[in-house]
Amino acid sequence: DFLPPPDPERDAAAKAKAAKKERPKLPPEDRSRVIFLDIDGVLLAAGSVETIFVDGVALPIRERMTENDFSAAALENLRSIIVRTGASLVLSS
């Protein structure tokens, strides 16, 4: 077995540390404020997804994106804007 034995103290410390990083809840949506965001090259870093060109159109090789495909810093900045403004978000790609 290659896994280390359980360590309840470290587990408790990690849980406490994660709890401190909890983000504030989003404010109520203000439909008079809208953010239109094209995620390609902004939240989804350029070159982070393999593509193929078909008839001049770049198509992603993967069918699904995961949370790890997106820029953590960009997502945190976007969240900060939404928390401060209550804006709705419209995504495009």
Side-chain angles (χ1 to χ4, degrees):
D1 191 30
F2 63 91
L3 294 175
D7 186 341
E9 286 183 25
R10 286 184 68 189
D11 292 345
K15 185 176 181 179
K17 184 178 177 182
K20 288 180 184 178
K21 290 185 177 183
E22 284 187 24
R23 297 179 178 121
K25 292 187 179 199
L26 294 176
E29 183 179 25
D30 179 349
R31 291 183 178 243
S32 68
R33 296 177 179 200
V34 180
I35 300 169
F36 292 91
L37 180 61
D38 181 353
I39 65 170
D40 294 328
V42 179
L43 295 180
L44 191 60
S48 65
V49 177
E50 291 184 66
T51 58
I52 58 171
F53 282 89
V54 176
D55 294 330
V57 176
L59 300 172
I61 293 175
R62 284 186 272 160
E63 291 183 24
R64 303 182 86 186
M65 298 288 115
T66 65
E67 184 177 311
N68 294 333
D69 292 323
F70 295 93
S71 165
L75 287 172
E76 195 59 42
N77 289 335
L78 176 60
R79 181 175 176 73
S80 174
I81 292 167
I82 292 172
V83 165
R84 286 186 279 148
T85 65
S88 300
L89 182 63
V90 177
L91 293 177
S92 65
S93 176

